[in-house]
Amino acid sequence: MTQNAGVTLSQIGQIAINVLDLERATAFYRDVLGMNFLFAAPTMTFFQCGDVRVMLGKMDQPEHQHPASIVYYRVADIEAAHEALHARGVSFVQQPIMAHSDAHHELWLAFFHDSEENTVALMSEKPVS
């Protein structure tokens, strides 16, 4: 079998985030982060974030009860997003910082924890003037 058999992964369709308290996590993502709530199932809730669906899921198996991978949410103005979320009670573990720059862009990041202690990030690419 060849490594490049015509299949490429180039889009994220859905991200699953493990939660311990589904009601608390749903309220945090809907009411604090302002994400677009889609629907709920008995052990899951779903949100739309641009082209990506975010699923919050209560994991009953012990091997799945751990913090999720870091999800980076792209924002146009990281300072304004940081300020707005901070005003809603989000406690940031890292304020917006420039993580990388090149001749064309600066990459800015800010990290916080969601209601389930998963690390979440804001990211913004600013053109260099």
Side-chain angles (χ1 to χ4, degrees):
M1 184 166 117
T2 63
Q3 282 185 313
N4 217 356
V7 174
T8 61
L9 301 180
S10 61
Q11 283 188 337
I12 295 173
Q14 179 170 295
I15 297 171
I17 299 174
N18 297 337
V19 302
L20 297 174
D21 184 324
L22 186 60
E23 187 175 314
R24 176 181 64 200
T26 299
F28 181 83
Y29 279 78
R30 182 190 59 225
D31 303 335
V32 177
L33 297 185
M35 290 182 62
N36 182 26
F37 177 80
L38 293 175
F39 59 93
T43 61
M44 299 170 278
T45 55
F46 295 85
F47 296 85
Q48 194 67 40
C49 189
D51 293 335
V52 178
R53 187 180 321 174
V54 175
M55 179 198 85
L56 305 179
K58 182 156 176 47
M59 302 300 161
D60 293 329
Q61 303 86 2
E63 66 271 17
H64 296 293
Q65 293 179 358
H66 57 79
S69 300
I70 300 173
V71 178
Y72 291 78
Y73 293 97
R74 187 180 304 274
V75 295
D77 183 338
I78 197 164
E79 290 85 6
H82 171 263
E83 185 176 316
L85 292 178
H86 182 69
R88 294 182 200 165
V90 173
S91 179
F92 281 80
V93 295
Q94 182 179 332
Q95 307 303 311
I97 62 159
M98 184 174 49
H100 174 75
S101 68
D102 60 26
H104 305 289
H105 293 90
E106 295 176 346
L107 173 62
W108 285 77
L109 303 173
F111 294 89
F112 60 96
H113 290 128
D114 70 5
S115 61
E116 307 304 297
E117 295 302 314
N118 294 304
T119 299
V120 183
L122 301 177
M123 67 178 284
S124 182
E125 292 179 327
K126 301 178 184 182
V128 172
S129 45

